């Protein structure tokens, strides 16, 4: 599928934009599932000021979608209309600051936060090793793993709203809950400041290695997957509900519920986004029928279905 080319009009609107803009850029290679259609326009701002300029000048009715590392995402087969923003090199800086703190751009992979903390002898941030996304995604979803969550270590985040205004948000301003933050969806996070505590680099490295070994042993991380599919309901484990519903190994098209960890869906090679989403909805229906529990998607789904 190809969208109408918006580039000429956008370039007229944004004469001083310093980043990159491309029309109908394929998104499947940028997601871990390796499925989905194109972005109508892919935009990679040069830095925070460039992002603010972009958002301030885009038409109010222009859809804007954020794309991080694509690790917890299904892009539907018809692609994503409007502007898709990806934060690149201008948002990839990571620095250690006084007071046992680390500042990281939203484009920084979470694992790099963990490694930087380990190198600096800062404890409390090793759990980021188990999150296969970026800092921006961790802020938006209160990313967590192995006993830690973003809300536990965040001091403040910076973001740009749809009008191009820059905000500095303290931890309380984020209104964190389980796998969710309450900041308006139109705010694009640009960086975060995290608090660590003094620690022994060797002990931190050992903790990170333990997380790595656990992930490799219990999750299909070498498959085309999107991470945990469903949120854990209060007091329950999503994978146990999926397993009890008889869905381990369930197949739709070329998508399958992982045999190794049944809260993961995998693309066996030729799945479409529709296969994966249909499989997820089938699992949700069966879990509801067998347990009475309605599972909520943790994986984000964006875009439009393929034309029929």
């Amino acid at each position: 599928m190809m969208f109408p080319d918006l580039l000429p009009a956008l370039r007229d609107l944004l004469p001083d934009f310093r980043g990159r803009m491309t029309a109908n850029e394929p998104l499947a290679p940028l997601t871990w599932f390796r499925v989905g259609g194109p972005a109508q326009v892919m935009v990679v701002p040069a830095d925070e000021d460039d992002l603010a300029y972009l958002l301030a000048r885009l038409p109010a009715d222009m859809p804007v979608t954020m794309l991080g590392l694509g690790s917890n995402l299904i892009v539907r087969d018809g692609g994503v209309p409007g502007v898709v923003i990806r934060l690149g090199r201008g948002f990839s800086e990571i620095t250690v600051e006084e007071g046992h703190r680390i500042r990281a751009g939203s484009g920084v992979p979470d694992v790099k936060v963990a490694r930087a903390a380990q190198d600096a002898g800062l404890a409390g941030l090793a759990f980021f090793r188990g999150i296969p996304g970026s800092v921006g995604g961790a802020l938006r979803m209160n990313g967590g793993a192995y006993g830690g969550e973003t809300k536990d270590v965040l001091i403040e985040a910076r973001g740009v709203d749809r009008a191009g205004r820059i905000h500095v948000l303290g931890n309380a301003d984020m209104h964190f809950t389980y796998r969710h933050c309450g900041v308006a969806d139109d705010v694009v996070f640009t960086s975060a400041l995290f608090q660590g505590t003094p620690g022994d680099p060797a002990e931190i490295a050992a903790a990170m290695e333990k997380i790595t070994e656990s992930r490799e042993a219990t999750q299909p991380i070498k498959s085309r997957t999107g991470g945990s599919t469903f949120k854990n309901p209060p007091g329950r484990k999503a994978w146990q509900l999926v397993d009890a519903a008889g869905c381990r190994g369930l197949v739709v098209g070329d998508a399958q519920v992982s045999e190794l960890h049944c809260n993961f869906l995998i693309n066996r090679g030729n799945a479409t986004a529709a296969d994966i989403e249909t499989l997820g909805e089938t699992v949700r229906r069966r879990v509801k029928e067998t347990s009475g529990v309605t599972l909520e998607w943790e994986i984000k789904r964006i875009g439009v279905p393929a034309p029929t």
Side-chain angles (χ1 to χ4, degrees), residues 136-156:
L139 292 172
R140 179 54 65 186
M141 295 188 65
N142 185 23
Y146 297 94
E149 289 184 300
T150 302
K151 71 175 181 61
D152 301 332
V153 294
L154 181 75
I155 298 171
E156 66 181 30

Side-chain angles (χ1 to χ4, degrees), residues 14 50-60 160-165:
L14 301 159
D50 207 30
L51 171 65
Y53 172 77
L54 167 77
L55 292 173
R57 295 183 70 95
L58 283 177
V160 183
D161 68 21
R162 191 65 169 76
R165 296 175 296 228

Side-chain angles (χ1 to χ4, degrees), residues 53-74:
Y53 172 77
L54 167 77
L55 292 173
R57 295 183 70 95
L58 283 177
D61 60 351
M62 175 72 70
V64 174
T65 304
M66 283 302 302
L67 178 68
L69 295 187
S71 58
N72 199 244
L73 182 71
I74 297 172

Side-chain angles (χ1 to χ4, degrees), residues 153-191:
V153 294
L154 181 75
I155 298 171
E156 66 181 30
R158 288 176 65 92
V160 183
D161 68 21
R162 191 65 169 76
R165 296 175 296 228
I166 296 173
H167 299 264
V168 178
L169 302 155
N171 190 306
D173 300 322
M174 299 290 285
H175 302 290
F176 283 127
T177 55
Y178 174 62
R179 298 298 176 264
H180 175 79
C181 88
V183 177
D185 289 342
D186 70 348
V187 172
V188 178
F189 294 118
T190 57
S191 67

Side-chain angles (χ1 to χ4, degrees), residues 114-134:
R115 287 173 180 158
Q118 187 264 323
D119 289 343
L122 299 182
L125 302 172
F127 72 91
F128 278 117
R129 175 64 186 88
I131 305 176
S134 64

Side-chain angles (χ1 to χ4, degrees), residues 27-281:
L27 293 178
L30 303 179
T31 73
W32 286 31
F33 274 123
R34 297 293 192 268
V35 298
Q40 187 165 14
V41 179
M42 172 68 83
V43 177
V44 183
D47 51 33
E48 186 181 74
D49 288 340
D50 207 30
L51 171 65
Y53 172 77
L54 167 77
L55 292 173
R57 295 183 70 95
L58 283 177
D61 60 351
M62 175 72 70
V64 174
T65 304
M66 283 302 302
L67 178 68
L69 295 187
S71 58
N72 199 244
L73 182 71
I74 297 172
V75 176
R76 294 187 173 110
D77 298 305
V80 183
V83 167
V84 175
I85 298 174
R86 196 166 196 233
L87 303 183
R89 188 172 299 173
F91 302 85
S92 62
E93 188 171 343
I94 183 166
T95 56
V96 178
E97 299 187 356
E98 291 184 0
H100 314 298
R101 296 175 170 185
I102 286 184
R103 190 178 300 274
S106 284
V108 174
D110 296 321
V111 63
K112 286 194 174 182
V113 174
R115 287 173 180 158
Q118 187 264 323
D119 289 343
L122 299 182
L125 302 172
F127 72 91
F128 278 117
R129 175 64 186 88
I131 305 176
S134 64
V135 166
L139 292 172
R140 179 54 65 186
M141 295 188 65
N142 185 23
Y146 297 94
E149 289 184 300
T150 302
K151 71 175 181 61
D152 301 332
V153 294
L154 181 75
I155 298 171
E156 66 181 30
R158 288 176 65 92
V160 183
D161 68 21
R162 191 65 169 76
R165 296 175 296 228
I166 296 173
H167 299 264
V168 178
L169 302 155
N171 190 306
D173 300 322
M174 299 290 285
H175 302 290
F176 283 127
T177 55
Y178 174 62
R179 298 298 176 264
H180 175 79
C181 88
V183 177
D185 289 342
D186 70 348
V187 172
V188 178
F189 294 118
T190 57
S191 67
L193 181 63
F194 298 113
Q195 182 69 61
T197 58
D200 178 69
E203 290 180 3
I204 299 167
M208 288 170 56
E209 181 61 26
K210 190 173 181 179
I211 289 172
T212 300
E213 291 174 354
S214 176
R215 289 186 70 226
E216 290 178 348
T218 62
Q219 300 175 9
I221 59 175
K222 295 181 180 178
S223 301
R224 295 181 178 183
T225 186
S228 295
T229 306
F230 305 110
K231 299 177 183 180
N232 288 324
R236 309 289 290 273
K237 295 289 188 182
W239 77 264
Q240 292 175 342
L241 294 166
V242 174
D243 206 14
C247 294
R248 185 182 294 268
L250 184 66
V251 172
V252 171
D254 214 23
Q256 182 179 30
V257 176
S258 170
E259 298 270 11
L260 181 62
H261 190 315
C262 52
N263 197 26
F264 284 66
L265 307 183
I266 59 175
N267 174 3
R268 299 192 299 181
N270 295 299
T272 63
D275 290 340
I276 298 168
E277 191 168 9
T278 299
L279 177 59
E281 290 297 336

